[in-house]
Amino acid sequence: MHLSGLQIRHFRNLVDQQLDLPVEGVAIVGENAQGKTNLLEAIYYLETFRSFRGSRDDKLVAFGEEFFRVAGALVGRTPGEGVEVAAAFQVKGKKKKITLDGDEPERLSDGLGRLAAVVFSPMDVTLVSDGPGARRRYLDIVLSLNVPGYLGALQRFRQILSQRNAALRDGRMQGTVGSWDEGLVESGARVVEDRLRWVERWQEEFSAYYRRVSGTLESRLQYQPGVRLEGATDRGPIADAFRLALSESREREARLGNTVVGPQRDDLLLTVTEGDIPRDLREFGSGGQRRTAALALRLVEAATIRKARGQEPIILMDDVFAELDPGRSERILALMEEEETGQVLLTVPKESDIRLRRDSLPRWRIANGVLEW
Ligand code: ATP
Ligand code: MG
């Protein structure tokens, strides 16, 4: 699938416009603050119905306007294959509306993931340098979009967790708190199982990508569960381990007024091995090493889409080569050229920064939120 048409209304600084995008993609050249990232943000909104920058929906509405709307026409290889995804948000009443070919799906989540896109952004380094929440968010997005049933389990888990935490905070009786346990364990075990499986499935690819880009060191991706699993890998034994961990933490959670074990405490451990010693990239990584690990996570995300959805991901690349040394950026380019990717939409501040598909991508310009070609 590729994005063939894009219609934008009142999104950030972008002027209302209708764009026809080439099947191979486009390189968008524009100075700072002209709307390059805003455009990629608008496009990726059609994948997750959220800002990839973590902005709230009302911040996306152009200053002084009441709503925004983005619509994208996706076209497949075979005639008739394709869908129009549209998303609109109205400030008043905070109303969000998603449509697929004009019809509103029963649940918003039914519309997720139609674009099959991955964003590469300089902000990705926060995946490595920020706290565990950033990496859980990454996992949750990748798994929600690619593993059927994951999002439902995660939502169930979060809802039960917040009710259970409210009961703990109020200092309610053991019996009341305990009444949430079975639901928490059941939904949480599913979340843990999917996260564990995914990491096991992709950790070698992660290391291979890191090695290719860095040219030297070994890096590893490991799952660090917030429940001691004692080797459990299937849902039943994971649930047993979770149940046991809960029963062992009764006193601590009553004291802290919070559920202290569970996937809400999960993390992904990213290490680089120097002289046989694995070191946490978050604590010890250089800027370039962290960026490389973040790139490897995005490459794994793209590979997950390829595998799970059987389609080439659309690559949205927001000026990411800028901060890598020449060796690393050459190698990542070579890798990206080799990987099977579909459409590539990339943004750069100046023409000479276009490196990926330099000879084949048409060039557009953006200034003050207006695209020109
Ligand atoms: P850089 O090269 O610096 O990353 P960019 O081209 O990616 O720049 P964007 O982040 O896309 O820039 O756009 C920034 C501009 O968008 C800023 O001038 C900002 O004031 C404007 N902007 C952000 N949100 C809104 C909004 N809700 N309404 C109108 N303009 C907005
Ligand atoms: Mg930008």
Side-chain angles (χ1 to χ4, degrees), residues 1-3 43-49 72-75 81 83 85 100 111-120 141-142 145-146 298 301-316 340-345:
M1 298 268 242
H2 77 277
L3 186 64
I43 293 171
Y44 195 72
Y45 197 89
L46 297 174
E47 175 83 346
T48 58
F49 311 130
L74 289 161
V75 174
E81 190 194 355
V83 62
V85 189
L100 300 174
L112 288 172
R114 296 306 163 107
L115 211 58
V118 180
V119 185
F120 289 76
I141 289 171
V142 174
L145 295 176
N146 294 293
R298 292 300 181 207
E301 182 179 346
T304 304
I305 290 178
R306 215 171 279 131
K307 181 92 185 156
R309 293 186 247 171
Q311 53 177 302
E312 288 312 325
I314 298 174
I315 303 295
L316 306 176
E340 288 174 37
T341 55
Q343 202 174 24
V344 174
L345 307 173

Side-chain angles (χ1 to χ4, degrees), residues 275-294:
D276 282 350
I277 302 164
R279 293 191 204 285
D280 190 343
L281 276 170
R282 190 177 162 210
E283 307 279 359
F284 302 107
S286 75
Q289 288 175 329
R290 290 176 185 176
R291 266 180 222 112
T292 306

Side-chain angles (χ1 to χ4, degrees), residues 12-13 30-39 53 59-63 318:
R12 299 249 200 211
N13 80 328
E31 290 175 2
N32 294 142
Q34 301 306 307
K36 300 186 297 296
T37 305
N38 293 347
L39 179 69
R53 306 201 222 197
K59 307 286 183 221
L60 309 178
V61 177
F63 300 145
D318 200 12

Side-chain angles (χ1 to χ4, degrees), residues 101-317:
D101 288 331
D103 294 327
E104 214 172 336
E106 204 171 307
R107 283 163 309 191
L108 190 134
S109 57
D110 295 336
L112 288 172
R114 296 306 163 107
L115 211 58
V118 180
V119 185
F120 289 76
S121 137
M123 281 185 332
D124 290 344
V125 69
T126 60
L127 286 176
V128 182
S129 54
D130 278 7
R135 286 173 294 284
R136 284 195 299 270
R137 224 163 11 253
Y138 165 83
L139 267 179
D140 288 339
I141 289 171
V142 174
L143 294 174
S144 296
L145 295 176
N146 294 293
V147 179
Y150 179 82
L151 181 60
L154 180 68
Q155 287 170 335
R156 232 171 17 255
F157 174 78
R158 283 190 180 149
Q159 198 198 355
I160 299 170
L161 180 69
S162 84
Q163 288 169 318
R164 190 174 188 277
N165 282 341
L168 282 165
R169 251 192 329 275
D170 298 349
R172 270 187 253 153
M173 303 296 290
Q174 177 78 69
T176 318
V177 172
S179 69
W180 303 114
D181 287 8
E182 225 10 70
L184 192 77
V185 163
E186 177 269 324
S187 57
R190 166 73 204 260
V191 168
V192 170
E193 182 189 39
D194 285 350
R195 290 178 178 177
L196 179 68
R197 291 252 154 94
W198 182 85
V199 172
E200 288 189 340
R201 166 67 183 80
W202 294 104
Q203 60 190 172
E204 271 177 35
E205 274 86 350
F206 172 86
S207 297
Y209 283 132
Y210 188 93
R211 204 179 308 123
R212 279 269 328 249
V213 178
S214 76
T216 52
L217 297 174
E218 279 299 312
S219 179
R220 287 192 69 188
L221 166 70
Q222 285 162 282
Y223 181 47
Q224 228 174 26
V227 174
R228 241 185 308 142
L229 295 180
E230 312 288 6
T233 55
D234 292 328
R235 191 139 10 133
I238 292 171
D240 293 341
F242 194 2
R243 222 174 268 115
L244 179 68
L246 277 177
S247 71
E248 287 173 350
S249 57
R250 300 264 180 247
E251 193 210 331
R252 210 150 58 90
E253 61 184 15
R255 189 156 33 84
L256 297 170
N258 208 355
T259 305
V260 295
V261 292
Q264 77 281 11
R265 295 284 179 102
D266 282 359
D267 198 356
L268 289 174
L269 179 63
L270 295 158
T271 54
V272 42
T273 304
E274 285 180 87
D276 282 350
I277 302 164
R279 293 191 204 285
D280 190 343
L281 276 170
R282 190 177 162 210
E283 307 279 359
F284 302 107
S286 75
Q289 288 175 329
R290 290 176 185 176
R291 266 180 222 112
T292 306
L295 265 168
L297 285 174
R298 292 300 181 207
L299 289 165
V300 166
E301 182 179 346
T304 304
I305 290 178
R306 215 171 279 131
K307 181 92 185 156
R309 293 186 247 171
Q311 53 177 302
E312 288 312 325
I314 298 174
I315 303 295
L316 306 176
M317 210 173 242

